[in-house]
């Protein structure tokens, strides 16, 4: 039996099934899954883990979030529009959302309002990682307004349903929980499932818990040796949040 992670089914308040992969922050490795212009599925990549960054659905598959491992981007190396004008390399900017979950080698955290990997809070040393997405503002009664205020969040409106993925963290225990649901759910359902799993209540304190939403829809997929889900089994994704050690 694996000791570095667990993978369990969880029924959320919406009665939908969520697959949750739990591991330590130090066991996470962000990887590029873009090779010679094509992308594998998570299952075919050879890693256990989940799809991560939002990305272009056209032929270039450039990722649209900050995704740094050991101080370097794990993007495709292609150019994307920069929020302040001009262009930037993909993986170095948040173009969907402006929140980041990161591990600096000793502490796990989530910060909002970060568009660029040049931000001093983004770790750049060995054995660190940073993954961008849209903040979910656990327990905050004003979460809908804060969600919609994130960069380009209007592309993922609160009144539409889709398959969803996200990252929940417990900063005190340095634990990472990868959530995947292949049913058509609202963003609020994903958030509510995370809060229920963590034992949190709306309007209370989130304490050491925080969360972001990552890419979902047809890209939703989470794979381990014991359990896996995929919204579309043949959908390749250019970037993965993976486990260093599967055992």
């Amino acid at each position: 039996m694996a000791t570095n992670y667990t993978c369990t089914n969880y029924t959320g308040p919406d009665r939908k099934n969520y697959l949750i992969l739990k591991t330590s922050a130090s066991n996470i490795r962000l990887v590029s899954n873009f090779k010679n212009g094509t992308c594998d599925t998570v299952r075919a990549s050879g890693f256990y883990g989940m799809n991560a960054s939002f990305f272009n659905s056209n032929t270039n598959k450039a990722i649209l979030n900050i995704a740094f491992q050991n101080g370097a981007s794990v993007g495709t190396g292609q150019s994307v529009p920069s929020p302040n004008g001009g262009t930037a390399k993909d993986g170095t900017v948040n173009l969907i959302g402006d929140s980041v979950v990161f591990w600096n080698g000793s502490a796990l955290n989530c910060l909002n309002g970060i568009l660029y990997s040049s931000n001093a809070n983004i770790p750049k040393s060995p054995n660190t990682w940073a993954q961008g997405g849209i903040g979910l503002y656990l327990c905050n009664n004003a979460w809908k307004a804060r969600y919609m205020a994130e960069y380009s969040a209007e592309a993922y409106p609160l009144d539409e349903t889709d398959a969803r993925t996200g990252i929940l963290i417990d900063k005190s225990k340095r634990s990472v929980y990868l959530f995947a649901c292949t049913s058509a759910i609202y963003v609020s359902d994903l958030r509510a499932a995370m809060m229920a799993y963590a034992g949190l209540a709306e309007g209370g304190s989130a304490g050491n818990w925080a969360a972001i939403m990552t890419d979902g829809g047809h890209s939703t997929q989470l794979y381990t040796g014991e359990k896996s889900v995929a919204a579309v089994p043949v959908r390749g994704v250019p970037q993965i949040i993976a486990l260093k050690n599967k055992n």
Side-chain angles (χ1 to χ4, degrees), residues 69-154:
Q69 179 69 42
N70 302 331
S73 164
V74 294
T76 68
Q78 299 173 91
S79 294
V80 292
S82 178
N84 65 355
T87 61
K89 291 297 183 183
D90 73 328
T92 69
V93 293
N94 268 336
L95 295 172
I96 303 292
D98 52 51
S99 295
V100 179
V101 168
F102 63 90
W103 168 248
N104 68 10
S106 61
L108 180 64
N109 206 351
C110 178
L111 293 178
N112 313 113
I114 296 180
L115 288 176
Y116 305 100
S117 59
S118 57
N119 186 289
N121 291 294
I122 301 298
K124 308 293 195 311
S125 58
N127 300 313
T128 66
W129 55 266
Q131 176 63 56
I134 310 177
L136 292 177
Y137 302 97
L138 304 182
C139 300
N140 190 320
N141 286 324
W143 78 271
K144 291 182 179 180
R146 296 195 68 180
Y147 172 96
M148 290 306 302
E150 294 227 349
Y151 195 83
S152 297
E154 66 276 4

Side-chain angles (χ1 to χ4, degrees), residues 29-35 45 47 63 69 73-77 237-240:
R29 175 186 173 192
L30 304 189
V31 297
S32 173
N33 196 35
F34 182 80
K35 302 172 184 177
S45 73
F47 291 99
I63 68 172
Q69 179 69 42
S73 164
V74 294
T76 68
V237 293
Q239 190 243 318
I240 299 170

Side-chain angles (χ1 to χ4, degrees), residues 9-19 181-186 188-190 192-193 196:
N9 293 104
Y10 177 72
T11 302
D14 56 356
R15 311 309 301 168
K16 303 296 186 181
N17 184 65
Y18 294 77
L19 189 60
C181 180
T182 56
S183 298
I185 60 172
Y186 294 103
S188 59
D189 292 326
L190 172 64

Side-chain angles (χ1 to χ4, degrees), residues 195-225:
M195 287 177 56
Y197 184 85
L200 301 175
E202 198 70 79
S205 170
N208 288 299
W209 296 92
I212 64 172
M213 188 174 80
T214 48
D215 191 23
H218 289 171
S219 300
T220 299
Q221 52 196 279
L222 189 156
Y223 174 73
T224 69

Side-chain angles (χ1 to χ4, degrees), residues 137-177:
Y137 302 97
L138 304 182
C139 300
N140 190 320
N141 286 324
W143 78 271
K144 291 182 179 180
R146 296 195 68 180
Y147 172 96
M148 290 306 302
E150 294 227 349
Y151 195 83
S152 297
E154 66 276 4
Y156 298 88
L158 295 170
D159 61 352
E160 292 185 1
T161 61
D162 211 337
R164 307 283 180 187
T165 69
I167 305 169
L168 174 71
I169 63 169
D170 182 339
K171 292 177 275 189
S172 65
K173 295 182 179 178
R174 303 171 186 173
S175 296
V176 176
Y177 303 80

